Amino acid sequence: MNAPLPGHVLPTYEPRLVPAAMIEALKARFGDRCSTAQAVREQHGRDESPFDVPPPDVVVFAESTDEVAEVVKLADAHAVPVIPYGVGSSLEGHLLAVQGGVSIDLSRMNRVLAVNAEDLTVTVQAGVTRTQLNNEIRHTGLFFPIDPGADASLGGMSATRASGTNAVRYGTMRENVLGLTVVTASGEVVHTGTRARKSSAGYDLTRLFVGSEGTLGVMTEITLRLYPQPEAVSAAVCSFPSLAAAVNTTIQIIQMGVPIARCELLDANAVRAVNRHDKLTLREGPMLLMEFHGSPAGVQEQAQVVQEIASDQGGEDFQWATTPEERTKLWTARHHAYFAALQMKPGCRAVTTDTCVPISRLAECLLDTVAEADAAGLPYFIVGHVGDGNFHVGYLIDPQKPEERELAERLNHQLVSRALRLEGTCTGEHGIGLHKMDFLREEAGEGAVALMRSLKHALDPKNIMNPGKIFHW
Amino acid sequence: MNAPLPGHVLPTYEPRLVPAAMIEALKARFGDRCSTAQAVREQHGRDESPFDVPPPDVVVFAESTDEVAEVVKLADAHAVPVIPYGVGSSLEGHLLAVQGGVSIDLSRMNRVLAVNAEDLTVTVQAGVTRTQLNNEIRHTGLFFPIDPGADASLGGMSATRASGTNAVRYGTMRENVLGLTVVTASGEVVHTGTRARKSSAGYDLTRLFVGSEGTLGVMTEITLRLYPQPEAVSAAVCSFPSLAAAVNTTIQIIQMGVPIARCELLDANAVRAVNRHDKLTLREGPMLLMEFHGSPAGVQEQAQVVQEIASDQGGEDFQWATTPEERTKLWTARHHAYFAALQMKPGCRAVTTDTCVPISRLAECLLDTVAEADAAGLPYFIVGHVGDGNFHVGYLIDPQKPEERELAERLNHQLVSRALRLEGTCTGEHGIGLHKMDFLREEAGEGAVALMRSLKHALDPKNIMNPGKIFHW
């Protein structure tokens, strides 16, 4: 059913289709919130990954933790797959129903359940998106910093251990999820963590589920850390004569311990795409897009240090975005980069890389990759959370041309091998999904993957939770 | 063999003594680094907890990961317990050989393996202590902030997910361990994590082992995040007319988002003990001991905000420690508080609490606890990492008086129940060990503990890794 794809071979999965009796039971229970319509199934069988596999057999729109538990109990009884679905923005095939099964759409679980501004915490249902959350809490003077490119759901962001542009200062989902409500593979409802900032109470179940990509249970409610909106915010763009100059500026900023809030790289191709998509007039060369948070004096101090470093590296055109409107425009453009770049080559899809290396290795990792990409001749763009040592190359391929996909995958593999040699990781924030299972083995070793597999077998003995992702059963 | 203790009943454990053949094998392999001497065994069968149980059967002083693996393989073959030992500073009975077994002493694995100053990371063997680490990296301009009261080993700190006075700004071991070398229960050597700052590569094995209290494997090497020594540091003590005033000052500091580096509470009893032990002349009332890190201007700014808040609450005697020597003296005294307090009542032991609550609940939690303790009439002291919502009450008991222990345990239980009602945790940083297993069930629920137990059964099917801790097999 899944023909091997050129360039990256998906394994053949045994179908485990949802039996008619179970579909009937779901329809009887959920009425028109249970759908087998082709269009609905197809919508839930796609994400931003370059894979095409058949859609799930049935989609259920859940409205509560208890409803999720009911669906999972049925799936457990019939031993069929369950795939949690947020907004469909995965880049690694997390949502693909490689063995069929039930897609549980959590987008209607979109309530902010409790804002505890006095403790800088909030509890949300898993379908709340990051933008919605920030809109709903704006009046409290607090914000939630984690911002992947897409307006992802907080459930999806927890599942992939997402980060984004603010992680260099505020950490990733790993650091910012305090607790979870989880429906386990047997349909039990379990709570992990508390609202306390720290705890030594037993195994860290919260962080075991964060990043588990839906393979251990369904996260339905999430308690998150919030941060006071900084008193002063200042954003700037700075152009550089070369990628090397931009990267070296970043390395020095981090090594000096400047508490920069955002430090993003765009290569000339990404700037060009963003200019066209968002009607901006940024100078089309390598660029750092930065933001500083703090007191007015603190922000000024940080900015001055950074300007000196940048200027030593030949940075010019330091342009400040001082009003909230200017800043929003700039960061919205940054968040559009992926989609903007896709539009540079109509009909294309992107093979997106996600390596992350120790900061001192960033220049070597990124510049060698650029040299390789240039030599290969495939169109590409680069955006990077370079303050974390994390960058993405998006290779733009024509899905009709197997040789382009193959080339992109080969470049991706070369980049991953380089990152691992430099003591980094194959994925900084997108997760393993279908796409990086071989890379995970290369990175973690057979022993560590065997441990992960033992955990999976222990918590999901029938392999019903998003099967086929992260590692082979 | 373990008579139930008054106040807190230890379960009866089935002895699983190390057979003579295995002891012979260990002696043949490790020579005088394998000891069955009574004094050595007793030293390794004690910690700072109030429990007395028989010591381990044999102690092995390991010098490498491979040696640890050899010992664990033997223990696996004979199905006998293995208990990793660092410096013996656990407060919760982690090191006690409740079923007998092998104590693996890691204190000779005390090498700093790789300082990567340019990446702000370091890799150490598990026996390195926090003080040793900071001494060895001082010349790099970097430091490692996590500082439990004892000069614990970094292995032990990882095992209990420790924190200390700097966690309010720098996080705990949870946030600061990047990767581990672990000997699994079957004696395999596995590496988790990389030197990258963030990763979405599969299950978060690093954080599963951090806080696992030796029950899933032996951590032998640890890669940690480091931080630039701040350009400016300023410490201050401030006395308050009441505990309420000190706590309310703390709450406001945190809610305003002041990036304070340390915010420690000492009650009058703790100040008195510290004065006597360290020959200081601090005013013997409730006190906050604070530290600010940043640029000179940033430190001044933070200090000014905090002084205003404190002064609104009636804080007085704001005394600044400006020289490194004065600061060291102050923080050394703070780190001595536990041992200083023990000396206030000769021959006593301490039953130490460790609750952590959301910051807005701190006043209620702490003040009700003080009222209860005062009414009970048992001597006590309080020290707290109050910026995190975490504080410790040490009830000083005469180990010969079962009624004192019983009273202390009852007060502890009342405090834990209160903290859980306030959405907090029974342990902020000391771990569960033998002492808080009932509390863990109360906090996490049977479902979550069942998940933890499944993980344990999957990774340690013979229950050889530090058995009897965290939960019952």
Side-chain angles (χ1 to χ4, degrees), chain A residues 10-303:
Chain A
L10 279 188
T12 307
Y13 295 95
E14 198 72 28
R16 298 160 68 192
L17 305 184
V18 180
M22 178 169 159
I23 291 184
E24 285 319 302
L26 288 171
K27 286 194 165 164
R29 168 64 183 80
F30 293 99
D32 60 5
R33 291 193 286 117
C34 170
S35 176
T36 52
Q38 186 72 15
V40 174
R41 289 166 51 214
E42 281 183 356
Q43 185 216 333
H44 289 79
R46 263 200 311 264
D47 54 22
E48 293 294 325
S49 72
F51 302 113
D52 292 306
V53 302
D57 305 309
V58 56
V59 178
V60 176
F61 294 84
E63 291 182 351
S64 70
T65 297
D66 286 345
E67 287 190 356
V68 172
E70 283 184 64
V71 177
V72 173
K73 276 185 179 150
L74 265 176
D76 174 53
H78 293 275
V80 295
V82 171
I83 305 161
Y85 185 96
V87 308
S89 55
S90 163
L91 291 159
E92 298 295 358
H94 292 109
L95 304 170
L96 303 190
V98 291
Q99 299 191 291
V102 187
S103 172
I104 304 190
D105 186 312
L106 299 165
S107 61
R108 297 186 191 184
M109 291 184 64
N110 63 354
R111 279 188 303 130
V112 174
L113 298 171
V115 183
N116 293 99
E118 71 289 3
D119 293 318
L120 312 175
T121 73
V122 67
T123 301
V124 299
Q125 290 184 311
V128 172
T129 70
R130 64 176 180 84
T131 305
Q132 182 199 340
L133 173 60
N134 276 317
N135 287 337
E136 293 201 22
I137 62 175
R138 182 155 298 135
H139 67 281
T140 64
L142 304 175
F143 79 114
F144 182 69
I146 317 298
D147 64 338
D151 186 18
S153 70
L154 291 155
M157 288 165 63
S158 301
T160 53
R161 207 180 291 126
S163 50
T165 67
N166 286 298
V168 61
R169 171 142 175 175
Y170 297 95
T172 72
M173 292 304 279
R174 180 174 76 188
E175 285 80 22
N176 287 291
V177 176
L178 284 169
L180 295 167
T181 299
V182 175
V183 175
T184 69
S186 58
E188 302 300 313
V189 177
V190 164
H191 304 283
T192 75
T194 67
R195 289 209 301 111
R197 277 169 67 118
K198 64 182 194 183
S199 172
S200 292
Y203 300 161
D204 195 342
L205 295 179
T206 303
R207 261 142 291 271
L208 179 62
F209 282 102
V210 170
S212 65
E213 306 188 7
T215 64
L216 298 177
V218 185
M219 292 180 261
T220 58
E221 294 179 11
I222 305 160
T223 298
L224 299 163
R225 286 183 69 164
L226 299 176
Y227 297 83
Q229 286 167 16
E231 199 189 341
V233 176
S234 192
V237 292
C238 180
S239 286
F240 289 86
S242 66
L243 273 171
V247 169
N248 288 328
T249 298
T250 304
I251 293 173
Q252 285 183 42
I253 291 170
I254 299 302
Q255 289 180 342
M256 285 188 63
V258 178
I260 195 166
R262 293 165 142 172
C263 185
E264 296 286 305
L265 173 76
L266 287 82
D267 76 343
N269 297 330
V271 177
R272 200 171 300 124
V274 157
N275 270 348
R276 191 177 308 180
H277 185 275
D278 282 66
K279 300 187 179 49
L280 299 178
T281 54
L282 300 167
R283 176 168 162 165
E284 295 185 354
M287 168 183 288
L288 287 181
L289 177 46
M290 294 169 282
E291 195 165 274
F292 307 97
H293 295 176
S295 67
V299 162
Q300 206 174 352
E301 213 168 47
Q302 292 174 46

Side-chain angles (χ1 to χ4, degrees), chain A residues 451-464:
Chain A
L451 283 190
M452 294 182 198
R453 197 180 279 115
S454 304
L455 301 176
K456 166 80 171 171
H457 290 197
L459 298 196
D460 180 20
K462 295 183 188 171
N463 192 23
I464 65 169

Side-chain angles (χ1 to χ4, degrees), chain B residues 152-350:
Chain B
S153 70
L154 291 156
M157 289 164 63
S158 300
T160 53
R161 207 180 291 126
S163 50
T165 66
N166 286 298
V168 61
R169 172 144 174 172
Y170 298 94
T172 71
M173 292 305 277
R174 180 174 76 190
E175 285 80 21
N176 287 291
V177 176
L178 285 169
L180 295 166
T181 299
V182 175
V183 175
T184 69
S186 59
E188 302 299 314
V189 177
V190 164
H191 303 283
T192 75
T194 67
R195 289 208 302 111
R197 277 170 68 119
K198 63 182 194 182
S199 172
S200 292
Y203 301 161
D204 194 342
L205 295 179
T206 303
R207 261 141 293 270
L208 179 63
F209 283 102
V210 170
S212 65
E213 306 187 6
T215 65
L216 298 177
V218 185
M219 293 179 262
T220 58
E221 294 180 9
I222 306 159
T223 298
L224 299 162
R225 286 183 69 164
L226 299 175
Y227 297 84
Q229 287 167 15
E231 199 188 343
V233 176
S234 192
V237 292
C238 179
S239 286
F240 289 86
S242 65
L243 273 171
V247 171
N248 287 327
T249 298
T250 304
I251 294 173
Q252 284 183 44
I253 291 170
I254 299 303
Q255 289 181 342
M256 286 188 64
V258 179
I260 196 166
R262 293 166 141 170
C263 185
E264 295 287 302
L265 174 77
L266 287 83
D267 76 343
N269 297 330
V271 177
R272 200 170 300 123
V274 156
N275 271 346
R276 190 176 309 179
H277 185 275
D278 282 66
K279 301 189 176 46
L280 298 179
T281 55
L282 299 167
R283 176 167 162 166
E284 295 185 353
M287 169 183 290
L288 287 182
L289 178 44
M290 294 170 282
E291 196 166 274
F292 307 97
H293 294 177
S295 67
V299 162
Q300 206 174 353
E301 213 170 48
Q302 293 174 46
Q304 192 179 334
V305 173
V306 166
Q307 269 183 302
E308 280 165 21
I309 297 172
S311 149
D312 283 352
Q313 292 286 339
E316 45 195 271
D317 278 352
F318 229 91
Q319 288 172 13
W320 293 93
T322 42
T323 69
E325 294 69 30
E326 286 174 312
R327 283 201 309 276
T328 301
K329 198 167 156 190
L330 216 49
W331 289 111
T332 304
R334 163 63 190 89
H335 281 128
H336 289 162
Y338 173 77
F339 295 100
L342 285 184
Q343 292 178 14
M344 297 293 276
K345 180 172 168 181
C348 76
R349 293 182 88 156

